[in-house]
Amino acid sequence: MTDLVIRALTSSDAALFTTFQDSPFVGRAAFGHAYTSTADGGEYRPDWSWVALRENTVIARAAWWGAPGDTEPVVLNWFDFADGEAEAGAELLRRAPFDKEYEVIAPAGWRDDPAVRAAVEARVAAATAAGMKPLVERYRYRWTPGCPLPERTGRLTFRPEPDDEVVLEVLRRVHSATLDAHARKAIEGPGGLDAAAQEELDFFHWCPSPREWLRLAYTPDGEVAGIQVPAHNPSGPCVGFIGVVPEARGHGYGYDLMVECTHFLVEQGAEFVAAATDRGNVPMAAAFARAGYPISQEWVHLA
């Protein structure tokens, strides 16, 4: 067998990435998007796009994504390989210089289709062989005007909070008892609860939407119930964050926060609203279902 060549692309040969066409079931191709490099006005940077070649033929490829202005990639969200070349795919991930989470993008109910399930599991297995570990599975939602607009309940009041220190304290309270796998991972790290809260706040500042959209929620007696962040990420309007403080749980306030977030974005002209929650976060998944948010995709996260 000929030697394997693994390397990053350049602006002059970025088109090499598309010479290999794998199953569209999972990965960014699941969106119906084609790979395009920033050199051609697309969203993937050639130096963050890697290929494995044998006899000058692409047999595995991976593309790491980052927003405009980012100095390093945020996530790996395109990874595939030819039949029988799982080890080449794993070796590509080992050699690429990016230690970033991998998001396997799959259609809703992917386990019910044998071909889709095989494609997802093959990618997960290759990433695991490269040293990654499964972290969590998440539901991805997409509200559109064709869905009912849930009515506000009127149980909470919402106020902007310009002080990041106040926001950080609320985030620490929310994460002190959380079902979110990413928050738990951050809490288990060296920075603990403070790092988990700061990670959320950094995301709010990273989003191109105004920081002023952030709202704290208050009960009729003036106590903080939680926080909701309507946002725009680089892909469009989204529910940036929903969190209820532990002492206010048990009243279904997560639904109120999500409804307010949806209304706010629609009032800003949003033609869709994206959102996500962990499969294991049963209360939040129930709130999305109640609000009429359909599951559009399921993502498997490895870190």
Side-chain angles (χ1 to χ4, degrees), residues 2-303:
T2 57
D3 291 340
L4 192 66
V5 175
I6 294 176
R7 66 174 178 85
L9 298 176
T10 67
S11 58
S12 62
D13 67 1
L16 192 61
F17 196 92
T18 60
T19 60
F20 169 59
Q21 296 295 328
D22 192 36
S23 161
F25 294 136
V26 293
R28 290 292 287 177
F31 285 111
H33 291 174
Y35 174 92
T36 51
S37 73
T38 52
D40 297 318
E43 60 180 322
Y44 285 101
R45 305 181 200 186
D47 54 329
W48 294 352
S49 304
W50 283 59
V51 292
L53 305 103
R54 185 174 286 121
E55 296 182 345
N56 296 319
T57 299
V58 176
I59 58 171
R61 60 185 179 173
W64 284 259
W65 176 88
D70 284 341
T71 57
E72 61 181 36
V74 174
V75 68
L76 168 65
N77 61 15
W78 197 317
F79 171 55
D80 48 20
F81 42 85
D83 289 344
E85 296 290 0
E87 177 52 32
E91 185 63 17
L92 186 160
L93 297 185
R94 294 187 196 107
R95 293 196 204 175
F98 309 118
D99 183 18
K100 299 298 178 181
E101 189 171 304
Y102 172 32
E103 296 174 342
V104 188
I105 304 168
W110 60 269
R111 286 182 173 84
D112 298 331
D113 185 316
V116 177
R117 180 168 184 163
V120 171
E121 291 178 346
R123 285 161 176 77
V124 170
T128 302
M132 293 185 175
K133 295 180 180 179
L135 175 63
V136 68
E137 293 186 30
R138 287 171 63 80
Y139 292 128
R140 307 289 295 196
Y141 302 90
R142 187 179 176 91
W143 182 92
T144 65
C147 306
L149 182 62
E151 292 186 11
R152 289 179 164 116
T153 68
R155 298 193 300 168
L156 301 173
T157 57
F158 298 87
R159 305 174 203 161
E161 179 48 69
D163 190 338
D164 278 355
E165 290 304 317
V166 174
V167 173
L168 281 169
E169 178 55 29
V170 173
L171 290 170
R172 282 191 286 266
R173 290 166 66 186
V174 169
H175 282 335
S176 66
T178 180
L179 296 174
D180 185 88
H182 285 90
R184 286 178 162 179
K185 181 174 181 284
I187 292 168
E188 291 168 0
L193 196 56
D194 289 343
Q198 187 64 53
E199 190 175 284
E200 300 292 359
L201 185 62
D202 289 346
F203 169 73
F204 306 156
H205 284 294
W206 175 80
C207 287
S209 47
R211 159 67 173 77
E212 293 75 20
W213 286 5
L214 182 153
R215 296 289 187 271
L216 296 186
Y218 294 85
T219 63
D221 59 6
E223 296 296 322
V224 173
I227 177 174
Q228 61 96 0
V229 184
H232 272 232
N233 63 26
S235 298
C238 65
V239 177
F241 186 82
I242 296 284
V244 179
V245 298
E247 56 270 33
R249 292 174 187 170
H251 304 286
Y253 287 149
Y255 175 80
D256 300 58
L257 298 176
M258 183 179 54
V259 169
E260 182 64 24
C261 196
T262 306
H263 274 266
F264 182 93
L265 289 168
V266 170
E267 290 163 4
Q268 298 297 315
E271 297 181 357
F272 69 89
V273 180
T277 195
D278 291 2
R279 284 189 65 185
N281 192 338
V282 176
M284 203 65 236
F288 277 115
R290 178 184 172 193
Y293 269 71
I295 298 173
S296 58
Q297 294 172 330
E298 296 180 38
W299 290 22
V300 182
H301 295 246
L302 296 96

